[in-house]
Structure formats: C-alpha cells, structure tokens
Amino acid sequence: MFLVIRVRGTTGVIKNIADTLDMLRLNRISHAVLVEENPSYEGMLQKAKDYITWGEIDAETLAAVIARRGRLSGNVKVSDEYVAENTDYDNIEELAKALINSDVKLADVGIKPVFRLHPPRKGYEDIRLSVNEGGSLGYRGEEINNLAKRML
C-alpha cells in the first residue's frame, strides 16, 4: 500500500498530468491518498512523479494518519469507538493493519479517501528535485513514514 502526497501546486501543469492527479484525488498541495500497489496505479504515479511523492506506509504511521487526519462524512473525526461499532475491528490500529494487507478499503469503512495534511515541519527539501537529487519528489520508499509524521 502506497501513501501518495501532493507536493507541488497547479500552476503550469500539463493537462494529461493534471487529469492523472485528479484521478488520484490529489487536488491540492499536502493532500494524501492511499493507493494499492498494482501496475495501473504505478503507471499513474510515474506519470505524475514531478508533482507528488510516494512510498510504502507502515501500519503504525497509517494508524496515526487515520486517527489525526481521517474524516467521516460531515467532517467528523474517526475514533476508536466508531471503528469498533461500524467495522469488524476493535480499534484504529487493527484497521490500519487490515488496510495495509488489503483486507478492507477506506470506502467500506466510511472514511473519506483524502487526508488533508499540514505542510511538513521544517519544510520540504526542494520541490523541484527528485528524492535521489536531494529533493522531495518521486518515490521515497520507507522514508514516506517520516514525511507523513512531520505533516500530522
């Protein structure tokens, strides 16, 4: 499971890349979504790599993101009580593990697919360079967990 975060804005975006970002539901800077690891999504991520960053999220970080930034319809926060009443899981940590293993989807639980995060503490490295060049864009692997924690 990938966590994808939009890093750059909309100015000067080529139309087909803008359409890809819309399909990923990344409409604003610092919005994040969860996507599965399959060839379709990987192609979309490669196409939009100059505007986003992504990597494999772990269960602990996903639980923190859901607890702090997860929202239900009506802009209601996700709580352990809601998860226990409306799903087969007892708390947010168990739900996060099930999401990582693709046992359940956010839509099945009723959680909105987009997480509205804060800009990262200490800022982005460079929003015009890839991670390999010392910037913030592109695939960053396990380092996405550190970025997500800075953005909570």
Side-chain angles (χ1 to χ4, degrees):
M1 174 92 31
F2 289 132
L3 179 69
V4 184
I5 302 172
R6 182 155 182 178
V7 176
R8 295 180 67 190
T10 58
T11 305
V13 179
I14 298 169
K15 176 138 178 56
N16 61 356
I17 296 175
D19 292 342
T20 302
L21 290 169
D22 285 341
M23 286 184 252
L24 287 170
R25 296 182 301 268
L26 294 170
N27 300 319
R28 294 174 180 250
I29 297 174
S30 297
H31 277 195
V33 295
L34 291 172
V35 297
E36 298 174 11
E37 297 180 34
N38 63 38
S40 297
Y41 278 123
E42 289 173 7
M44 293 170 78
L45 296 175
Q46 283 301 317
K47 189 171 196 176
K49 71 182 182 307
D50 294 332
Y51 296 90
I52 61 174
T53 186
W54 73 94
E56 292 89 5
I57 189 167
D58 61 15
E60 175 189 343
T61 305
L62 181 56
V65 168
I66 292 171
R68 295 277 304 274
R69 294 283 158 194
R71 295 291 186 263
L72 306 168
S73 61
N75 203 26
V76 177
K77 286 188 173 186
V78 177
S79 64
D80 283 333
E81 293 79 27
Y82 173 83
V83 172
E85 290 172 8
N86 297 306
T87 66
D88 298 335
Y89 306 102
D90 294 332
N91 53 31
I92 293 175
E93 289 79 19
E94 290 181 14
L95 176 64
K97 290 176 186 171
L99 285 166
I100 296 286
N101 296 330
S102 298
D103 296 336
V104 68
K105 297 184 185 224
L106 283 175
D108 299 339
V109 180
I111 299 173
K112 289 185 178 180
V114 177
F115 300 102
R116 298 178 298 180
L117 303 176
H118 287 293
R121 289 179 191 85
K122 307 283 186 182
Y124 292 109
E125 287 80 19
D126 187 338
I127 63 167
R128 292 178 186 243
L129 296 177
S130 71
V131 173
N132 297 336
E133 299 169 333
S136 294
L137 301 172
Y139 175 73
R140 60 174 63 216
E142 296 294 323
E143 289 299 312
I144 196 75
N145 297 310
N146 296 334
L147 178 63
K149 287 176 184 172
R150 287 175 30 213
M151 295 178 82
L152 289 178

